[in-house]
Amino acid sequence: MKVSDISKDGNFTLLTPTVSLDKDVDKLFCCDLLSIAMGKAPSGSCWVTVMSNVNTLAVATLTDVSCIVLAEGVTMDDTLKAKAASEDVAVFTTELPIYDAAKLIDSLR
Amino acid sequence: MPNLMELKYQVSNEDFTRAGEASSDVKKKLKQLGVSPDVIRRVAIALYEGEINMVIHAYGGEITVTISEERITMTLADRGPGIPDIDKAMQAGFSTAPDNVRNLGFGAGMGLPNMKKNSDTIDISTEIGVGTTVVMTINL
């Protein structure tokens, strides 16, 4: 599946409209501890987390995840959105809890 | 063998918004050089963990990355408190990070273990009250 497939589901709101959604999503990855995510997030994965700060973006770009999904209604301020756009990382927000969000995205594959 | 490239970065302490800039820049340069994605990922992880450690634990320092035809060498020299017990610091899960750092999602005691896991060699020299220098190499 592509990142764009996630944007077609009404449960997910794209926070980075200027970023290309053409990347492939091969896996789902759920983790809130950046220390763990740094070592374990698979490249090409969709990373579902409630941790939203500048370091989340750094970890995402360094591990080459395809997109970030912020669960539980967590969002990003404008500065962070702009940074995500400049780093070419697609970020979604959803009201769903982490497990439900990941399960739903998995079912879209 | 002469070095193909040498990169230097200054890291300031407590500046979490900039932590990761050196790793990102090195990653871009390695991509331009056509280094394999697997090696780039290992360099990015090892260097980012090191960079974060310098921000959390030290009062800043300097990162030097040299790229030769055989390997990438990353030297992270900080001015900081030093590491009293390196064996303990290398244990996964051991951390002395303060609460504000944990609130950001760090401080799980995975930094040095991740650095070791992703590099081919790691050498740590430390002096209490002076600072720590970590040298990591990753073979090409």
Side-chain angles (χ1 to χ4, degrees):
Chain A
M1 72 180 286
K2 301 264 186 197
V3 174
S4 56
D5 293 320
I6 300 172
S7 71
K8 287 174 195 156
D9 188 290
N11 287 287
F12 304 98
T13 308
L14 185 63
L15 299 177
T16 53
T18 58
V19 173
S20 159
L21 305 179
D22 203 40
K23 286 181 189 162
D24 288 314
V25 174
D26 306 321
K27 281 180 181 163
L28 271 295
F29 178 73
C30 301
C31 184
D32 294 323
L33 255 178
L34 300 187
S35 308
I36 304 269
M38 191 65 225
K40 296 271 181 72
S43 60
S45 64
C46 166
W47 176 20
V48 189
T49 180
V50 293
M51 190 57 79
S52 174
N53 60 45
V54 69
N55 307 109
T56 311
L57 291 176
V59 170
T61 48
L62 291 169
T63 56
D64 281 323
V65 302
S66 291
C67 65
I68 299 170
V69 172
L70 299 172
E72 302 279 10
V74 171
T75 186
M76 285 185 163
D77 61 24
D78 289 342
T79 314
L80 216 48
K81 282 182 204 169
K83 171 115 176 127
S86 73
E87 297 281 347
D88 203 33
V89 183
V91 183
F92 296 90
T93 180
T94 178
E95 293 298 324
L96 294 171
I98 290 179
Y99 173 75
D100 295 326
K103 203 169 108 181
L104 177 55
I105 294 164
D106 202 33
S107 74
L108 300 172
R109 299 205 294 155
Chain B
M1 191 64 68
N3 289 327
L4 300 173
M5 200 183 268
E6 183 175 280
L7 308 161
K8 273 190 191 294
Y9 304 91
Q10 299 298 322
V11 179
S12 55
N13 83 318
E14 293 281 327
D15 191 354
F16 282 97
T17 56
R18 288 192 57 202
E21 281 187 0
S23 325
S24 290
D25 191 65
V26 170
K27 190 182 169 187
K28 278 177 201 147
K29 298 251 166 39
L30 294 179
K31 245 183 193 168
Q32 286 164 6
L33 289 172
V35 174
S36 80
D38 174 58
V39 169
I40 293 178
R41 188 182 150 96
R42 288 169 59 208
V43 169
I45 292 173
L47 198 54
Y48 183 66
E49 293 285 12
E51 217 179 328
I52 285 287
N53 273 351
M54 289 168 87
V55 175
I56 296 174
H57 299 288
Y59 318 123
E62 189 177 71
I63 294 175
T64 309
V65 178
T66 57
I67 304 161
S68 74
E69 285 186 15
E70 291 93 17
R71 68 186 63 85
I72 296 162
T73 305
M74 298 166 271
T75 305
L76 296 81
D78 72 44
R79 302 173 293 281
I83 305 171
D85 186 339
I86 291 179
D87 286 341
K88 215 168 179 182
M90 293 304 291
Q91 282 173 19
F94 177 81
S95 176
T96 57
D99 283 348
N100 67 322
V101 170
R102 292 176 196 262
N103 289 344
L104 289 169
F106 296 110
M110 299 302 292
L112 281 169
N114 267 347
M115 288 158 75
K116 188 180 179 185
K117 188 178 138 200
N118 284 286
S119 52
D120 288 303
T121 68
I122 182 166
D123 181 65
I124 303 170
S125 48
T126 187
E127 195 176 336
I128 300 301
V130 179
T132 299
T133 298
V134 178
V135 182
M136 297 179 285
T137 65
I138 292 180
N139 298 330
L140 289 170

